[in-house]
mmCIF file of all heavy atoms in Angstrom:
data_model
loop_
_atom_site.group_PDB
_atom_site.id
_atom_site.type_symbol
_atom_site.label_atom_id
_atom_site.label_comp_id
_atom_site.label_asym_id
_atom_site.label_seq_id
_atom_site.Cartn_x
_atom_site.Cartn_y
_atom_site.Cartn_z
ATOM 1 N N LYS A 676 54.315 36.304 39.102
ATOM 2 C CA LYS A 676 55.491 35.648 38.524
ATOM 3 C C LYS A 676 55.656 34.271 39.137
ATOM 4 O O LYS A 676 55.588 34.098 40.334
ATOM 5 C CB LYS A 676 56.760 36.467 38.789
ATOM 6 C CG LYS A 676 56.723 37.852 38.133
ATOM 7 C CD LYS A 676 57.984 38.610 38.450
ATOM 8 C CE LYS A 676 57.977 39.991 37.833
ATOM 9 N NZ LYS A 676 59.191 40.769 38.132
ATOM 10 N N ALA A 677 55.892 33.323 38.271
ATOM 11 C CA ALA A 677 56.133 31.970 38.757
ATOM 12 C C ALA A 677 57.558 31.860 39.253
ATOM 13 O O ALA A 677 58.472 32.485 38.772
ATOM 14 C CB ALA A 677 55.863 30.961 37.638
ATOM 15 N N LEU A 864 62.478 9.221 47.106
ATOM 16 C CA LEU A 864 61.414 8.490 47.788
ATOM 17 C C LEU A 864 61.569 7.027 47.424
ATOM 18 O O LEU A 864 61.384 6.638 46.269
ATOM 19 C CB LEU A 864 60.028 9.007 47.363
ATOM 20 C CG LEU A 864 59.630 10.375 47.913
ATOM 21 C CD1 LEU A 864 58.395 10.887 47.191
ATOM 22 C CD2 LEU A 864 59.362 10.300 49.408
ATOM 23 N N GLY A 945 81.272 7.968 42.634
ATOM 24 C CA GLY A 945 81.598 6.582 42.605
ATOM 25 C C GLY A 945 83.067 6.437 42.786
ATOM 26 O O GLY A 945 83.639 5.386 42.737
ATOM 27 N N VAL A 958 72.912 2.716 59.495
ATOM 28 C CA VAL A 958 73.573 1.600 58.827
ATOM 29 C C VAL A 958 74.344 2.120 57.621
ATOM 30 O O VAL A 958 73.812 2.900 56.842
ATOM 31 C CB VAL A 958 72.536 0.549 58.353
ATOM 32 C CG1 VAL A 958 73.259 -0.649 57.737
ATOM 33 C CG2 VAL A 958 71.663 0.109 59.509
ATOM 34 N N ARG A 1067 25.905 32.648 11.009
ATOM 35 C CA ARG A 1067 25.648 34.087 11.054
ATOM 36 C C ARG A 1067 26.761 34.898 10.395
ATOM 37 O O ARG A 1067 26.682 36.122 10.324
ATOM 38 C CB ARG A 1067 25.485 34.546 12.509
ATOM 39 C CG ARG A 1067 24.233 33.992 13.197
ATOM 40 C CD ARG A 1067 23.978 34.732 14.493
ATOM 41 N NE ARG A 1067 25.038 34.501 15.455
ATOM 42 C CZ ARG A 1067 25.002 33.561 16.410
ATOM 43 N NH1 ARG A 1067 23.944 32.759 16.493
ATOM 44 N NH2 ARG A 1067 25.988 33.424 17.260
ATOM 45 N N VAL A 1294 64.993 -27.190 19.282
ATOM 46 C CA VAL A 1294 64.219 -26.810 18.095
ATOM 47 C C VAL A 1294 64.264 -27.914 17.048
ATOM 48 O O VAL A 1294 63.280 -28.147 16.333
ATOM 49 C CB VAL A 1294 64.732 -25.468 17.526
ATOM 50 C CG1 VAL A 1294 64.085 -25.157 16.180
ATOM 51 C CG2 VAL A 1294 64.451 -24.340 18.506
ATOM 52 N N TRP A 1639 66.832 1.478 23.361
ATOM 53 C CA TRP A 1639 67.192 1.711 24.766
ATOM 54 C C TRP A 1639 68.018 0.538 25.287
ATOM 55 O O TRP A 1639 67.663 -0.632 25.036
ATOM 56 C CB TRP A 1639 65.937 1.865 25.617
ATOM 57 C CG TRP A 1639 65.149 3.102 25.327
ATOM 58 C CD1 TRP A 1639 65.474 4.116 24.480
ATOM 59 C CD2 TRP A 1639 63.870 3.455 25.888
ATOM 60 N NE1 TRP A 1639 64.486 5.080 24.474
ATOM 61 C CE2 TRP A 1639 63.498 4.700 25.329
ATOM 62 C CE3 TRP A 1639 63.023 2.841 26.805
ATOM 63 C CZ2 TRP A 1639 62.308 5.330 25.662
ATOM 64 C CZ3 TRP A 1639 61.836 3.475 27.143
ATOM 65 C CH2 TRP A 1639 61.485 4.701 26.583
ATOM 66 N N THR A 1690 53.761 -23.476 14.464
ATOM 67 C CA THR A 1690 53.549 -23.619 15.905
ATOM 68 C C THR A 1690 52.103 -24.007 16.204
ATOM 69 O O THR A 1690 51.837 -24.939 16.979
ATOM 70 C CB THR A 1690 53.906 -22.314 16.630
ATOM 71 O OG1 THR A 1690 55.239 -21.939 16.318
ATOM 72 C CG2 THR A 1690 53.749 -22.459 18.130
ATOM 73 N N GLN A 1699 45.632 -33.508 19.332
ATOM 74 C CA GLN A 1699 44.926 -34.626 18.698
ATOM 75 C C GLN A 1699 45.562 -35.966 19.053
ATOM 76 O O GLN A 1699 44.872 -36.997 19.110
ATOM 77 C CB GLN A 1699 44.908 -34.445 17.173
ATOM 78 C CG GLN A 1699 44.096 -33.248 16.679
ATOM 79 C CD GLN A 1699 42.592 -33.442 16.829
ATOM 80 O OE1 GLN A 1699 42.125 -34.236 17.646
ATOM 81 N NE2 GLN A 1699 41.829 -32.694 16.060
ATOM 82 N N PHE A 1823 50.142 -5.086 13.834
ATOM 83 C CA PHE A 1823 50.506 -4.396 15.065
ATOM 84 C C PHE A 1823 51.820 -3.626 14.936
ATOM 85 O O PHE A 1823 52.563 -3.482 15.896
ATOM 86 C CB PHE A 1823 50.540 -5.385 16.228
ATOM 87 C CG PHE A 1823 49.188 -5.982 16.530
ATOM 88 C CD1 PHE A 1823 48.834 -7.213 15.986
ATOM 89 C CD2 PHE A 1823 48.271 -5.308 17.299
ATOM 90 C CE1 PHE A 1823 47.584 -7.766 16.243
ATOM 91 C CE2 PHE A 1823 47.027 -5.846 17.555
ATOM 92 C CZ PHE A 1823 46.667 -7.082 17.025
ATOM 93 N N GLU A 1980 46.364 10.781 -0.449
ATOM 94 C CA GLU A 1980 47.240 9.715 -0.961
ATOM 95 C C GLU A 1980 46.435 8.654 -1.689
ATOM 96 O O GLU A 1980 46.865 8.124 -2.721
ATOM 97 C CB GLU A 1980 48.044 9.106 0.187
ATOM 98 C CG GLU A 1980 49.064 8.065 -0.237
ATOM 99 C CD GLU A 1980 50.259 8.653 -0.982
ATOM 100 O OE1 GLU A 1980 50.284 9.871 -1.226
ATOM 101 O OE2 GLU A 1980 51.170 7.870 -1.335
#
Side-chain angles (χ1 to χ4, degrees):
K676 297 179 181 180
L864 287 168
V958 184
R1067 293 193 295 265
V1294 172
W1639 292 355
T1690 304
Q1699 294 289 23
F1823 296 95
E1980 185 71 357

